[in-house]
Amino acid sequence: MGIKRYTADADNTITNAFKSNLTTTATGSNMGLSDSLEVFRIYGQESSGSSELSRVLVQFPVSDITTDRNAGTIPASGNVSFYLRMFNAKHPFTLPRNYNMIVAAVSRSWDEGTGLDMENYSDQGASNWVDAASSSAGVVNWTTAGGDYHASPVFTQTFTEGYEDLSVDVTDLVEQWITGSAGGGKNNYGFGVQLTSSQET
């Protein structure tokens, strides 16, 4: 049994967090070129009931997987498993415990962007919390702020200690991407990684 790794070709953290002034939100900020990704919920920072969220978008070159399958480098459907692996980055901030994260299929095309600032959220552009893409032709908004996602399949992992790495079997979705929407599957717009809806609220 062999392992073949595919590396993401686009990723971004999108957020509606407050900037340091606790007045303006960072919904237009872009962090597409940052060297890490963040998923969080901050409760009660701006006011007693305020809630700030961030989510991750990550996309892989499924065309490379299709090419490898056609060449016989990887097995046919039903004989191979695909896992999304993401690694915890240690940090000095409070670490939650006993929570769930979900991985869902993004349902709209998005731009990675070139932002870097994950502290002051000074870099603007698409994709971000409100916009999926921007170009000379204009801005394309998400239908729902925070990104658009398919209702299924959705994959869940429990984080007991909070510092575990993410490792989720996403075979069902990757096979749908390989099939493509023309064949009854889905277009590959990548994964959205976030807390469960109940833990976000």
Side-chain angles (χ1 to χ4, degrees):
M1 178 169 68
I3 295 174
K4 183 167 178 62
R5 292 179 174 87
Y6 295 93
T7 304
D9 55 5
D11 58 49
N12 191 16
T13 298
I14 59 175
T15 186
N16 67 353
F18 282 97
K19 296 184 179 182
S20 58
N21 61 16
L22 296 183
T23 302
T24 310
T25 58
T27 54
S29 64
N30 175 272
M31 294 161 271
L33 288 189
S34 180
D35 57 2
S36 62
L37 300 164
E38 293 185 349
V39 175
F40 62 71
R41 177 186 183 230
I42 303 171
Y43 179 75
Q45 176 176 247
E46 183 269 337
S47 64
S48 61
S50 68
S51 181
E52 302 164 63
L53 305 172
S54 77
R55 298 172 177 170
V56 163
L57 307 175
V58 60
Q59 188 170 21
F60 289 81
V62 173
S63 58
D64 292 354
I65 299 173
T66 302
T67 298
D68 286 344
R69 175 166 283 169
N70 292 338
T73 306
I74 62 171
S77 177
N79 297 304
V80 64
S81 296
F82 297 98
Y83 286 83
L84 174 63
R85 299 275 327 265
M86 299 179 76
F87 299 95
N88 179 58
K90 293 182 179 180
H91 57 76
F93 306 108
T94 302
L95 196 65
R97 292 179 155 199
N98 298 315
Y99 63 93
N100 295 319
M101 295 239 288
I102 63 169
V103 176
V106 179
S107 60
R108 178 187 293 271
S109 176
W110 51 278
D111 291 340
E112 180 179 37
T114 58
L116 290 168
D117 184 6
M118 299 183 83
E119 294 293 326
N120 298 309
Y121 306 115
S122 61
D123 297 324
Q124 303 293 300
S127 55
N128 55 52
W129 191 260
V130 177
D131 304 322
S134 65
S135 68
S136 58
V139 173
V140 177
N141 298 123
W142 297 111
T143 303
T144 303
D148 298 334
Y149 309 95
H150 289 286
S152 67
V154 173
F155 312 95
T156 304
Q157 179 173 325
T158 299
F159 291 77
T160 304
E161 299 298 328
Y163 51 72
E164 296 91 341
D165 295 331
L166 177 75
S167 181
V168 179
D169 184 339
V170 293
T171 304
D172 183 29
L173 178 55
V174 174
E175 292 292 355
Q176 289 185 47
W177 284 338
I178 292 170
T179 300
S181 61
K186 289 181 171 62
N187 290 327
N188 170 30
Y189 300 130
F191 300 103
V193 183
Q194 61 196 69
L195 295 167
T196 61
S197 58
S198 62
Q199 290 172 327
E200 281 193 333
T201 57

